[in-house]
Amino acid sequence: MFCYQESVSKGTPTPCTKEIWNALIDSAKVKNICRRIALLDETKKEYNETKQALKKRLPIIIPHAASFRNGRRISADAVPSGLAMLDVDHVDNPRAFLEQRVMSQMQGNQQDGCAANPDALRELLIENKIYLVAITASGKGLRLIGAREANESIEAAQMRMAKALGINEYDAVTKDLARASYVVPRAYILWMDEEGMFATEAVATEAVATEAVSYPSPASRTSPTLGEELARTEAVSYPSPASGTC
């Protein structure tokens, strides 16, 4: 179990159920925002500012935390979820990047002929308890979420997942318990083991002390709830990340 929140600046961290998760990744709001990000012109001076403004309207999940004792997204108040998140940034074609890394890893580790096995990627992800592989909201990165082994720190789990997939460079600062991840549409998800994501139990203590990081408290709630906003958002057509438009 992990938490979600209406956005980085609205709502409070709340346990995310399978039903909520599926509503989020299938919502018209999330599809629309990511579609708009994908269609931005990177040559424009305002590109980064516009992209960040759009991303901040997305719901977020907080994969490292099962709950927060005082209802605030602060690492010191977090109950660890037993999950670890791995971010790979600055990837122009995330889908091809994943395929290349995995193929290279399989060719180096398996017997002749096994690398062509169409189920090899699935087996590799299951073996390493990687429950989610998704293209990030920017369209230029990969996000992985997987299980932490017993007494394994977030950093150690990140290293293990990266090694399993042959990833040499990733965001090493994504380790605090309050770290958020923007929700993306189902079309951006390259792999998902939903049962694994929601079967992981919270871990009682951190293997390695994590610096407490506080985030701005959400403003007073004057806007519609997440459910209300998602329900009233119109459906839009949405380009696939594989089409090269993001």
Side-chain angles (χ1 to χ4, degrees), residues 35-245:
R35 172 183 172 276
R36 292 176 63 186
I37 293 172
L39 295 175
L40 290 175
D41 185 347
E42 296 182 42
T43 66
K44 299 284 188 179
K45 182 175 67 174
E46 64 273 16
Y47 169 74
N48 283 324
E49 182 179 351
T50 304
K51 179 180 70 174
Q52 291 303 322
L54 286 168
K55 286 167 65 175
K56 288 178 180 178
R57 294 176 53 195
L58 287 167
I60 59 172
I61 58 171
I62 307 128
H64 295 160
S67 62
F68 290 85
R69 283 181 284 271
N70 295 309
R72 301 174 301 167
R73 189 162 64 94
I74 299 175
S75 290
D77 292 342
V79 176
S81 66
L83 295 171
M85 174 170 65
L86 177 71
D87 272 355
V88 185
D89 299 322
H90 311 299
V91 180
D92 287 333
N93 189 332
R95 191 182 300 271
F97 174 89
L98 176 65
E99 292 172 353
Q100 290 165 3
R101 290 296 181 278
V102 171
M103 183 60 68
S104 174
Q105 197 74 346
M106 289 189 295
Q107 289 173 341
N109 295 339
Q110 296 191 11
Q111 299 293 325
D112 292 342
C114 291
N117 182 351
D119 293 325
L121 172 57
R122 179 176 179 274
E123 293 169 1
L124 184 64
L125 294 169
I126 291 173
E127 179 183 351
N128 288 279
K129 297 182 180 179
I130 296 171
Y131 301 139
L132 183 76
V133 182
I135 297 170
T136 58
S138 69
K140 302 291 185 181
L142 277 175
R143 178 153 298 131
L144 287 71
I145 296 176
R148 291 166 57 186
E149 304 287 358
N151 300 316
E152 184 180 47
S153 67
I154 290 172
E155 297 95 322
Q158 290 170 339
M159 291 177 63
R160 174 175 51 78
M161 288 190 290
K163 182 178 180 181
L165 296 182
I167 296 171
N168 299 319
E169 296 183 8
Y170 57 90
D171 188 350
V173 302
T174 310
K175 59 185 180 181
D176 58 277
L177 292 174
R179 182 70 57 166
S181 172
Y182 293 110
V183 173
V184 295
R186 191 178 295 272
Y188 276 40
I189 296 176
L190 306 180
W191 160 262
M192 179 167 62
D193 176 357
E194 193 175 77
E195 293 303 317
M197 281 179 67
F198 290 93
T200 303
E201 296 182 357
V203 294
T205 58
E206 281 290 86
V208 176
T210 304
E211 179 182 2
V213 178
S214 60
Y215 292 86
S217 298
S220 298
R221 203 177 166 105
T222 57
S223 58
T225 66
L226 176 60
E228 291 167 344
E229 189 169 4
L230 295 182
R232 74 180 188 182
T233 306
E234 294 183 355
V236 295
S237 60
Y238 174 67
S240 168
S243 65
T245 60

